[in-house]
Amino acid sequence: MSARVLFYVQHLLGVGHLRRAAVLTREMAKRGLKVTLVCGGFPIRDLDLEGVTLAQLPPLRSRDETFRELIDEEGRLVDDAWRNHRRDLLLEILAKVKPHALGIEMFPFGRRKLAFELIPLLETARVSEPRPWIFCSVRDVLNFPRKPNRAAEAVARVHSWFDRVLVHGDENLIGFEESFPLADEIASYIDYTGYVGGQAVSRAGAGHPGWNEVVVSAGGSALGVELFRAAVAARPLSSLAKHTWRVLGGTHLPTNSLKRLIERAPSGVIVEPSRSDFRDVLANCAVSVSQGGYNTIMDLFATSVRAVVLPFVGVGETEQDFRAQRLEQHGLVRRLEADKLSPLNLAKAVDEVALAPPPPPVTINISGAERTAELVFNAAAHGRSIVLPRKQSE
């Protein structure tokens, strides 16, 4: 009988968390594990979950980039009755799956507003027979804690419920302690898996989609409209004004916003929704312009494209800007601060990277999906009591 894995993910604004979870769980399924992915966010199109069972909870999301209010699929604030119902559904899934390994994405380092269902889930799993191996799946950089007690709270929760913290990054680029000040107190739990990056993509040549274009994207974020507008206005100011500029709206861009961009697009600018061949388009382009989320940076790693990155810096959001600064120090991207976004500044940044040498080859560990699947397979298939081999990033 295949060992069973239950993996929980909640995306609140963009879709990067869900797409990374999909990559991780597909890789686990390839190892022969029976994987159930629990999704608490809104469903998205074209999500590849080959070999993985999807369990969709009643979806919720953040009302806006402040993350202060959670709303349901009707746009209503969720109340205690709604929370209790979703918690009960999640516990039913746990009881049905009876996992040998349980993965929680971000919590306890984020997703504090989901504690209403995650603490009961973890408490129930902890006393289950057999008790599953419990791991946290977390990205390379956290938003810096706004309140001093939150880091200590996360440490206490790791000690109470978790067997391992899998950090999807490379400590040779960014150490977890750089964004989580109490990392030394959970050092024995931490394993750097490498980035969840995927296979490299090569340029296909003239005549293929994206060839020699400026490709402007905002991933699955609903917050890219300002960037898209600036890019359209930047084209005539750039030395690449004769190139095609392609704006890819992303999966969460409001339909009305996309329609307006399409209607107002001048000659030489293509506006369209997200593309399934996005990495191929990106690999062929002259310059990429994007925000700086984890998955977007993985696309840049995979394609080795010249890139301008505009990090998202909403209320309390430090993650993207911190990562972009580090990548700029390594010569991998050109960072443009959000408060300096204007058509002229964007045109200058595009010209700068277009004239610069290509970024250096990526030597960062991007085998995070494979390493994560290896760790989870060993724990789920052979029992949580084993001592897993530690493997630092290569």
Side-chain angles (χ1 to χ4, degrees), residues 129-144:
E129 290 293 342
R131 178 195 185 283
W133 186 74
I134 302 175
F135 66 98
C136 170
S137 166
V138 64
R139 66 186 179 222
D140 58 335
V141 179
L142 302 175
N143 291 311
F144 299 130

Side-chain angles (χ1 to χ4, degrees), residues 4 26 33 57 63 83 98 100 115 124 128 132 148 166 169 210 213-214 265 270 280 295 308 339 346 366:
R4 297 178 297 277
R26 287 201 310 269
L33 295 169
L57 293 172
R63 185 187 293 281
R83 292 185 185 93
K98 294 182 174 61
H100 299 92
T124 303
S128 297
L166 304 185
E213 298 177 352
V214 176
I270 298 172
D280 295 322
N295 288 13
V308 176
D339 61 357
L346 182 56
I366 57 173

Side-chain angles (χ1 to χ4, degrees), residues 43-58:
I44 63 173
R45 303 185 305 272
D46 67 27
L47 184 67
D48 183 1
L49 288 175
E50 183 178 0
V52 177
T53 299
L54 177 65
Q56 176 67 56
L57 293 172

Side-chain angles (χ1 to χ4, degrees), residues 53-360:
T53 299
L54 177 65
Q56 176 67 56
L57 293 172
L60 61 74
R61 63 178 176 85
S62 175
R63 185 187 293 281
D64 54 35
E65 65 268 24
T66 67
F67 297 97
R68 290 173 183 156
E69 295 180 334
L70 301 180
I71 58 176
D72 65 14
E73 55 191 333
E74 303 297 329
R76 300 169 301 204
L77 288 174
V78 299
D79 58 18
D80 286 343
W82 192 97
R83 292 185 185 93
N84 291 340
H85 175 63
R86 205 173 97 141
R87 175 204 63 204
D88 292 344
L89 291 176
L90 180 58
L91 293 178
E92 288 176 9
I93 294 170
L94 176 69
K96 179 180 179 180
V97 174
K98 294 182 174 61
H100 299 92
L102 171 64
I104 310 290
E105 201 261 348
M106 285 299 292
F107 191 81
F109 304 101
R111 299 295 183 262
R112 296 178 73 256
K113 286 187 176 294
L114 281 301
F116 69 87
E117 63 186 9
L118 289 176
I119 289 178
L121 176 70
L122 289 162
E123 286 285 6
T124 303
R126 183 175 65 170
V127 298
S128 297
E129 290 293 342
R131 178 195 185 283
W133 186 74
I134 302 175
F135 66 98
C136 170
S137 166
V138 64
R139 66 186 179 222
D140 58 335
V141 179
L142 302 175
N143 291 311
F144 299 130
R146 283 177 275 178
K147 297 181 179 179
N149 65 317
R150 289 188 176 176
E153 178 185 73
V155 166
R157 287 172 169 176
V158 169
H159 286 303
S160 294
W161 296 311
F162 290 86
D163 296 294
R164 192 63 61 94
V165 174
L166 304 185
V167 178
H168 303 308
D170 185 334
E171 64 183 323
N172 295 314
L173 178 66
I174 302 174
F176 195 57
E177 72 282 355
E178 295 185 64
S179 60
F180 185 69
L182 300 183
D184 61 328
E185 297 187 20
I186 54 170
S188 62
Y189 291 81
I190 293 174
D191 202 310
Y192 290 90
T193 67
Y195 284 91
V196 181
Q199 298 297 315
V201 180
S202 300
R203 288 170 68 84
H208 289 269
W211 178 252
N212 221 22
E213 298 177 352
V214 176
V215 174
V216 185
S217 64
S221 173
L223 304 172
V225 174
E226 186 178 353
L227 172 60
F228 297 150
R229 289 173 178 162
V232 172
R235 180 176 180 264
L237 307 176
S238 167
S239 63
L240 301 185
K242 294 183 179 180
H243 292 237
T244 297
W245 288 45
R246 185 182 300 271
V247 174
L248 298 175
T251 54
H252 278 198
L253 184 70
T255 302
N256 289 340
S257 297
L258 179 63
K259 183 179 179 181
R260 284 194 295 270
L261 285 169
I262 292 173
E263 291 173 346
R264 299 175 184 178
S267 176
V269 175
I270 298 172
V271 180
E272 60 184 342
S274 57
R275 295 178 59 120
S276 59
D277 62 346
F278 174 68
R279 280 196 174 182
D280 295 322
V281 170
L282 198 65
N284 289 333
C285 77
V287 175
S288 165
V289 178
S290 69
Q291 293 189 300
Y294 184 103
N295 288 13
T296 297
I297 297 303
M298 296 307 101
D299 292 331
L300 299 181
F301 284 174
T303 55
S304 298
V305 69
R306 294 175 172 87
V308 176
V309 170
L310 182 84
F312 169 58
V313 287
V315 178
E317 293 289 313
T318 58
E319 166 231 340
Q320 290 196 18
D321 196 52
F322 183 89
R323 184 186 297 110
Q325 289 184 54
R326 185 59 53 84
L327 296 176
E328 187 172 50
Q329 291 169 4
H330 285 257
L332 296 171
V333 303
R334 164 68 161 85
R335 169 176 161 264
L336 178 62
E337 297 92 329
D339 61 357
K340 294 181 180 177
L341 177 63
S342 70
L344 180 59
N345 286 341
L346 182 56
K348 288 179 178 178
V350 168
D351 292 351
E352 181 181 320
V353 299
L355 295 173

